[in-house]
Amino acid sequence: MQNTETLERLYKISERGSTVKQEVIGGLTTFLAMSYIIFVNPSILGMTGMDKGALITVTCLTSALATIISGVWANAPFALAPGMGLNAFFTFTLVLGKGVPWQTALGIVFMSGVFFFALSLGGIREKIAYAIPVPLKIAVGGGIGLFITFIGLINLGLVAANPATIVGLGAMKTTTVIGIVGLLVAVVLEIKQVKGGMLIGIVTSTVLGFITGDIAVPESIVSLPPSIAPIAGKLDIVGAFKLSLIGPIFSFMFVDLFDTLGTLISCSRQAGIVDKDGKIKGFGRMLYTDVFSTIIGSVLGTSTVTTFVESAAGVAVGAKTGLASLVTGILFLLALFFSPVVAVVPGYATASALIIVGVYMFKQIVDLDFKDLKTLFPCFIIIVMMPLTYSISIGLSLGFLSYILIHLVTGDFKKLNLPLIFIGVLCLVNLVI
């Protein structure tokens, strides 16, 4: 009884129209909805040469710390983890694309977090976010969705390089078929709204991999977490101070900005934590939680940490307070001790999560105005150029610049503003260098 009263005092559970049981179920639901990140993030970042065992520990640790801070300090039912799309940008655009060492890439993430913090002072961040046209924000989400889907199809083996057509259908190997089975399982479960559908899809492919002998059975299921020493504290901040890396720094920052604000605004309304004036309760603390989590994550050794839209799953079943986030965070800590199982999960098994998350992100484009060519064209450029150039920052830069140029040439100056012009200048610098 005393424990219940303490929780009530800390989280204002009944005041927000919830119960302890409702919050625990909400926290568990959010964890199941986003637990795929434990498998996917190490798989993507591991392609840079970073130690996969250390990445598993860091993924769980940063997700747990950030989510617990969100619950305890901001009293928000929102979970955080290394962001999808942002981890792909880290690996495929910076490290594998530009040849930036992963240590320097971590320094870039750190710098984006510092700039993000500076923009948070005095509400500058919100002003910049609101100055960016909504269609461009929608297009960024859609473009990243296509980009990570493309990566998922490659990891699955369904799409492969073709000298005649650049890309083509890959060979139907055993691992490709196994991955497709896992994808179908995940899709059906998501359609049926089964909690943890993507996780079950990953597990299905992994189990089939064990049966066919494509994956070695781990020696143990439970063990102490792998050391984070190979990647923790290895970020190269000095190396990130280059003119050629300004674009990636701001790309990280802007994508995180769009993701965070979009998730917080939509989920806060669903959770009923918006006051009568339309302001989100504890909004400032939520934003700072996101910023500090990114900075801490870069020091520990992972890409940008952001608020996960999968938090909506927990909110949908009744989560309204930070107690739900506390539960989610604790579950991430418990996941630390299952690293032997996580370590053997192959890329073709985690590909299903990439593809489905891509679908969820891409479906945002339904909100675009398909009759307004002045905004539709730059949005289309963003969406198609991210996967075609294999770069989020290039797609974003081309889209923003085309939006500005089209409105300048057509004399529609009222749709332009100083923050948007400033972003355009950064985009131009990114393309030139």
Side-chain angles (χ1 to χ4, degrees), residues 345-423:
V345 176
Y348 62 81
T350 57
S352 59
L354 288 171
I355 295 167
I356 294 174
V357 171
V359 172
Y360 282 138
M361 296 181 75
F362 183 73
K363 71 178 184 178
Q364 300 173 34
I365 70 165
V366 71
D367 294 323
L368 292 176
D369 183 357
F370 286 83
K371 296 179 181 179
D372 181 9
L373 189 59
K374 277 193 293 187
T375 56
L376 186 61
F377 179 80
C379 289
F380 182 74
I381 291 298
I382 289 174
I383 291 169
V384 300
M385 292 306 288
M386 282 187 183
L388 291 182
T389 62
Y390 221 66
S391 171
I392 291 173
S393 66
I394 291 177
L396 189 150
S397 297
L398 290 172
F400 272 59
L401 284 172
S402 62
Y403 180 92
I404 294 170
L405 288 173
I406 287 172
H407 284 78
L408 281 174
V409 172
T410 58
D412 193 1
F413 304 118
K414 63 180 181 296
K415 294 288 183 67
L416 304 176
N417 52 67
L418 286 178
L420 187 59
I421 298 298
F422 172 69
I423 294 171

Side-chain angles (χ1 to χ4, degrees), residues 111-352:
M111 291 306 303
S112 72
V114 172
F115 280 120
F116 214 170
F117 173 72
L119 289 178
S120 300
L121 302 175
I124 300 174
R125 178 165 67 169
E126 295 94 305
K127 291 176 183 176
I128 289 179
Y130 296 138
I132 297 170
V134 173
L136 294 185
K137 298 177 188 177
I138 294 171
V140 169
I144 293 175
L146 276 188
F147 183 51
I148 63 175
T149 295
F150 186 45
I151 293 168
L153 291 171
I154 292 171
N155 291 350
L156 194 62
L158 200 57
V159 171
N162 186 312
T165 60
I166 302 179
V167 293
L169 184 66
M172 281 294 172
K173 299 180 291 186
T174 303
T175 54
T176 303
V177 174
I178 290 173
I180 292 173
V181 171
L183 173 60
L184 290 175
V185 169
V187 169
V188 171
L189 292 177
E190 288 292 313
I191 291 171
K192 298 290 186 180
Q193 297 185 336
V194 175
K195 302 299 182 293
M198 282 188 277
L199 175 62
I200 296 171
I202 292 172
V203 172
T204 299
S205 292
T206 304
V207 170
L208 290 175
F210 287 142
I211 294 173
T212 59
D214 290 298
I215 305 173
V217 178
E219 295 180 1
S220 61
I221 296 176
V222 179
S223 73
L224 290 174
S227 171
I228 64 174
I231 59 176
K234 297 295 193 297
L235 71 169
D236 180 9
I237 299 174
V238 176
F241 276 98
K242 291 181 180 177
L243 185 61
S244 61
L245 298 178
I246 289 178
I249 288 174
F250 282 92
S251 292
F252 269 123
M253 188 180 70
F254 286 129
V255 174
D256 189 17
L257 176 63
F258 300 155
D259 281 354
T260 301
L261 287 176
T263 300
L264 291 181
I265 291 170
S266 61
C267 290
S268 293
R269 291 185 184 281
Q270 189 178 358
I273 54 175
V274 178
D275 63 24
K276 60 182 180 180
D277 297 321
K279 295 181 179 179
I280 300 172
K281 299 172 184 176
F283 190 49
R285 289 192 175 190
M286 294 177 197
L287 292 178
Y288 281 117
T289 298
D290 194 279
V291 172
F292 293 142
S293 298
T294 288
I295 294 173
I296 293 170
S298 67
V299 173
L300 289 177
T302 189
S303 53
T304 305
V305 177
T306 189
T307 307
F308 258 54
V309 72
E310 282 80 2
S311 301
V315 171
V317 297
K320 295 179 183 293
T321 76
L323 179 57
S325 294
L326 180 62
V327 171
T328 304
I330 290 172
L331 290 171
F332 270 115
L333 288 177
L334 292 176
L336 279 168
F337 299 96
F338 294 90
S339 58
V341 176
V342 179
V344 299
V345 176
Y348 62 81
T350 57
S352 59

